[in-house]
Amino acid sequence: MKDVRENLAAAARDFYGRGWMLGTAGNLSARRDDGLWITASGRPKDRLAPEDFVALDHDGRVLEAAADRRPSAESSIHRVIYRHFPEARVIFHVHSIEANLCGHFARDGRLRLPPLEMLKGLGIPDAEPQVDLPVFANHVEVARIAADMDTAFAREKPAVPGALIHLHGMTAWGRDFDEARHHLELFEYCFRYLSLARLHGLGGES
């Protein structure tokens, strides 16, 4: 059976090639029975190996790690998502240009997604739906972002499996690797559409 860390590393190489995880930006995780595997901090995403992942329990305590590896600073965000969405098994957090552009189009902590057919892949079956993606403020202390998400998700679950952090990046999740990647790709498609719509004076959706 393939090590889940190999799947995470393969996804990271894919996203690096798309320009979504340049430098050491972004992080990926997969749920395990006693917690999660998450990328170690500061590792180049095109060259991840099994030792570049850290196992954490549900409270963020380290269960397994190479001697010189520490968990991503954004592990608190992943733990909040896993807690609020039991069906989620994989989480991808990337830093694309389009996602960061679209954060500027948000109003009152929500980004109106374009009413495209592609939204069906995010679980929205309606024709020309009006769907908002939650947008959270960025903070130097990542725990504050996680706390904001925790409060928001306890109050209302988003209609789509994702959340955007303004001037930071996009986080998407799914029941397995394929679904999480599929969701992330569809969000990024929406971001590209909105960016180009604004560029061409179409106004986008906000």
Side-chain angles (χ1 to χ4, degrees):
M1 185 174 180
K2 193 171 185 180
D3 189 326
V4 68
R5 292 173 294 177
E6 294 180 20
N7 289 329
L8 289 170
R13 290 192 295 272
D14 177 17
F15 301 151
Y16 178 90
R18 302 185 198 210
W20 298 349
M21 288 188 130
L22 299 182
T24 62
N27 38 81
L28 312 92
S29 73
R31 192 192 290 268
R32 46 186 268 170
D33 291 342
D34 54 355
L36 65 147
W37 283 111
I38 192 165
T39 38
S41 179
R43 308 305 299 168
K45 300 306 185 294
D46 59 330
R47 300 195 300 274
L48 293 179
E51 60 268 22
D52 293 315
F53 294 90
V54 176
L56 303 177
D57 69 12
H58 299 292
D59 295 318
R61 292 183 290 264
V62 174
L63 299 174
E64 297 180 44
D68 58 346
R69 299 290 188 267
R70 55 189 176 85
S72 167
E74 291 164 1
S75 60
S76 56
I77 292 174
H78 291 245
R79 290 189 290 109
V80 164
I81 293 170
Y82 285 129
R83 185 164 65 252
H84 284 280
F85 302 93
E87 73 279 8
R89 304 293 301 178
V90 177
I91 299 172
F92 296 144
H93 172 71
V94 301
H95 296 189
S96 73
I97 292 173
E98 289 84 0
N100 282 318
L101 286 172
C102 286
H104 294 289
F105 309 153
R107 297 292 181 271
D108 300 320
R110 297 176 182 272
L111 174 68
R112 176 57 51 86
L113 295 174
L116 304 173
E117 180 75 8
M118 301 290 267
L119 292 189
K120 288 184 178 179
L122 295 171
I124 307 298
D126 307 321
E128 300 189 12
Q130 295 187 359
V131 179
D132 292 328
L133 174 70
V135 180
F136 295 91
N138 194 25
H139 300 292
V140 174
E141 301 85 4
V142 178
R144 288 184 61 192
I145 305 173
D148 288 347
M149 287 185 171
D150 193 22
T151 299
F153 294 159
R155 182 172 59 247
E156 180 183 9
K157 298 287 180 65
V160 289
L164 180 64
I165 304 172
H166 184 51
L167 294 176
H168 182 149
M170 178 64 199
T171 304
W173 55 87
R175 290 171 292 185
D176 54 34
F177 282 90
D178 287 341
E179 186 176 77
R181 184 181 68 249
H182 177 67
H183 289 163
L184 181 60
E185 289 173 340
L186 293 179
F187 282 121
E188 292 293 339
Y189 181 96
C190 289
F191 297 151
R192 187 180 179 199
Y193 176 94
L194 288 172
S195 298
L196 288 173
R198 295 291 179 120
L199 180 65
H200 292 289
L202 299 179
E205 300 288 336
S206 63

